[in-house]
């Protein structure tokens, strides 16, 4: 005799639980969209003043735009699908690649900006910088690879639910739980490097106020890692212990919060970099490359050679031309100028504080030479 299937009451109860779970995911996705858009509105004045009015076509600026606006476009596509303010979709519509592409670009912006920031702090250690960039490439390849495999596993069971008007998968692939591990470990690596460098600089300036750039790098970098790690842990718990209908419960909150944290990190650094009026910071600003004519380029190259002679510990031989360095490292707002010299180190040294590897006499001689 065949075993009896679930009763009608059990089926209705399961359907109700599924619908409630999907509705909860709809609410959290709406919350994520509100956070993302509202943060853009809150910081728009600073963005116009410190980003768009000083915009140059550089790699950090490209990553910022990808994180802030290109990512927002891909972010709003699944949010619209979750909102339910639309007609019925086909199952084929639920299998689009937009979410996968969006998450890939978001991670590109997040990890790329953080990697440039850490490179700015550790300029006197070229091997560590090369290792960091190699790890970044491996991290991005792993994220894209795991994301692609997870996507094809999900669409095998992805269907459109006409009752609640949401595309939902009825199962969670096990590989999904591995996707947050790689970016979290890499971000932990970057955070540890930031804290080590911050401690090293602060240990050389006892009783003095720490440089503002350093405070922002440490504060916003740690905040980014803590927020990302907590939500990643929440996603792992949801994917492992909760029904598959709650798979997207925290997914878009993770996207919105990390994008907002990275955008605020960049804007805070740019604001500090462009508004600090101390003599030492103005020296750092004057070191930035201004490629308006051949004379400016020659002057910049001469200044670069002089800085290299005086600050060998803070200058790294990138093996790139000054224009290329300027493109990849930006104007100096992330802690490094076009000449390959860390502006943070210049700020510390300019305060009469010996830089890493220098003695007080070396620092005094360098300042006298500058004068």
């Amino acid at each position: 005799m065949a075993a009896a299937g679930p009763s009608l009451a059990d089926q209705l109860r399961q359907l109700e639980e599924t619908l409630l779970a999907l509705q909860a995911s709809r609410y959290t996705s709406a919350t994520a969209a509100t956070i993302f858009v509202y943060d853009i509105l809150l910081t728009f004045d600073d963005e116009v003043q410190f980003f768009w009015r000083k915009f140059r076509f550089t790699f950090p600026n490209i990553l910022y735009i990808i994180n802030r606006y290109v990512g927002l476009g891909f972010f709003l596509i699944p949010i619209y699908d979750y909102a339910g303010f639309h007609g019925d979709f086909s199952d084929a519509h639920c299998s689009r690649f937009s979410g996968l592409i969006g998450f890939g670009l978001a991670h590109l912006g997040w990890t790329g900006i953080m990697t440039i920031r850490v490179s700015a702090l550790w300029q006197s250690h070229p091997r560590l910088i090369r290792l960091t960039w190699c790890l970044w490439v491996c991290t991005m390849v792993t994220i894209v690879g795991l994301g692609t495999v997870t996507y094809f596993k999900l669409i095998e069971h992805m269907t459109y639910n006409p009752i609640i008007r949401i595309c939902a998968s009825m199962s969670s692939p096990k590989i999904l739980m591995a996707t947050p591990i790689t970016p979290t470990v890499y971000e932990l690596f970057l955070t540890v490097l930031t804290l080590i460098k911050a401690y090293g600089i602060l240990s050389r300036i006892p009783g003095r106020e720490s440089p503002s750039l350093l405070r922002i790098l440490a504060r916003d970098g740690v905040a980014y890692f803590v927020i990302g790690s907590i939500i990643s842990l929440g996603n792992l718990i949801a994917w492992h212990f909760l029904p598959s209908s709650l798979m997207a419960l925290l997914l878009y909150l993770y996207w919105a919060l990390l994008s907002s944290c990275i955008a605020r990190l960049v804007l805070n650094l740019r604001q500090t970099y462009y508004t600090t009026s101390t003599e030492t910071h103005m020296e750092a600003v004057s070191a930035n490359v201004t490629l308006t004519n051949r004379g400016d380029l020659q002057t910049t190259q001469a200044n670069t050679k002089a800085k290299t002679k005086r600050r060998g510990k803070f200058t790294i031989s990138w093996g790139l031309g000054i224009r290329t360095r300027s493109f990849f490292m930006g104007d100096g707002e992330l802690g490094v100028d076009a000449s390959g010299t860390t502006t943070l180190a210049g700020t510390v040294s300019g305060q009469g504080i010996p830089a890493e590897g220098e003695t007080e006499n070396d620092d005094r001689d360098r300042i006298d030479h500058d004068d």
Side-chain angles (χ1 to χ4, degrees), residues 26 30 79-87 89 164-165:
R26 170 175 286 171
I79 297 301
Y80 171 75
D81 294 347
Y82 262 92
F85 306 129
H86 49 70
F89 292 148
I164 199 171
R165 295 175 178 271

Side-chain angles (χ1 to χ4, degrees), residues 168-179:
S169 177
M170 294 299 103
S171 67
S172 299
K174 293 182 178 180
I175 195 175
L176 182 64
M177 291 182 288
T179 53

Side-chain angles (χ1 to χ4, degrees), residues 228-240 242 246 249-250:
S229 298
I230 291 175
I231 301 181
S232 294
L233 179 61
N235 277 323
L236 287 174
I237 293 174
W239 296 339
H240 187 74
L242 299 181
L246 287 171
L249 184 65
L250 300 176

